[in-house]
Structures are given as structure tokens and as C-alpha cells.
Amino acid sequence: ATPAMIDSLVADLAQPAGFALGTVQDYPLAPSEGRITGFMSETRRKGPWRVPQRLSVRAIMCDMKLDLRYAAIPPGCTIEVKAIMASVSIIVPPGLIVDFHVDPLLGAARSDASGGMMTGHGAAHVSVSGSAFMSEVQVRVKSFGR
């Protein structure tokens, strides 16, 4: 339930040679704001990473995939997407509540994730908003490890 309890729980696990497992306090907190930009490219974010409180995503004529399944997501995280002639996929784990408000113009916007009412006071929650001009913006739900 707390970072200290988790550290004590995993303290006796075997570690690969040359790998030092740090505590939660050893890692810097995610910035309050961040940006991911793709221009005529392919952009991927996956594995463990820290999502900023407010993430600005700009995709212009590119293919972008953001995998949040193993990411550290702050409470009330907001992702603002601006897509022009692009494909933006945001992959979330089952159970993550996603409010989705992307306006398409000559494009498509859809979310497979549940939205709306939170199931608990501390429930994980992400808000995705923005626009898609001649683009596809989608939120997909995938299980861990797939």
C-alpha cells in the first residue's frame, strides 16, 4: 500500500548482475508538463516511463503509439492531442478510466476504454482531449504482456 512496504517486499528478489534496484524515492518525479512531437515520422513510447501531469501530443503526418500500460500515471492526468494527417494510438490497461473528448474533422476518433464515473476516490483516471484533422485518434485497451 505504501512505497516503503513495496520496497521491503521486493528487497530479497534476485537482481541481474550490474543492476541496482532503487527505491521510489531514488527516482525523480515526473514533470508537471511535457510534450511528445512527431513530424513525418514514427514515434513510440512504451515500457516504464513517467507521464507528466499534462502531456501535449502533436502528431503531423506521422504514426504515433503511446503505451500507458507500464507507465507511472499521476492522478488526474490530462493528454491533449493535436493530430494532422496522422495516426495516434494510446494503449491503456484494463480498468483505467479514460474520459475521451477528441473532435475529428475528416477523420476518426474513438475510445474502447471506459469513461465517466470513477469507481473509487483514488481510481486511476486519464483525460484525453483534442482534435484530429484528417487523422485517426484512438484509445485501445490491452492486457499486460500482450
Side-chain angles (χ1 to χ4, degrees), residues 80-94:
E80 181 191 359
V81 178
K82 300 281 187 204
I84 300 173
M85 296 172 57
S87 173
V88 178
S89 294
I90 301 171
I91 302 167
V92 300

Side-chain angles (χ1 to χ4, degrees), residues 90-138:
I90 301 171
I91 302 167
V92 300
L96 181 68
I97 297 169
V98 179
D99 288 332
F100 187 76
H101 306 285
V102 175
D103 297 320
L105 179 61
L106 301 173
R110 71 179 176 142
S111 174
D112 297 337
S114 62
M117 303 204 23
M118 288 191 265
T119 56
H121 187 61
H125 179 255
V126 172
S127 177
V128 177
S129 62
S131 61
F133 177 69
M134 297 177 66
S135 300
E136 178 184 31
V137 175
Q138 64 178 335

Side-chain angles (χ1 to χ4, degrees), residues 50-105:
R50 293 187 184 268
V51 180
Q53 183 71 43
R54 180 174 162 81
L55 178 62
S56 175
V57 174
R58 302 292 181 256
I60 302 169
M61 295 189 293
C62 75
D63 181 29
M64 184 176 293
K65 288 191 180 170
L66 305 177
D67 191 341
L68 303 181
R69 291 178 295 169
Y70 299 99
I73 304 170
C77 177
T78 301
I79 300 174
E80 181 191 359
V81 178
K82 300 281 187 204
I84 300 173
M85 296 172 57
S87 173
V88 178
S89 294
I90 301 171
I91 302 167
V92 300
L96 181 68
I97 297 169
V98 179
D99 288 332
F100 187 76
H101 306 285
V102 175
D103 297 320
L105 179 61

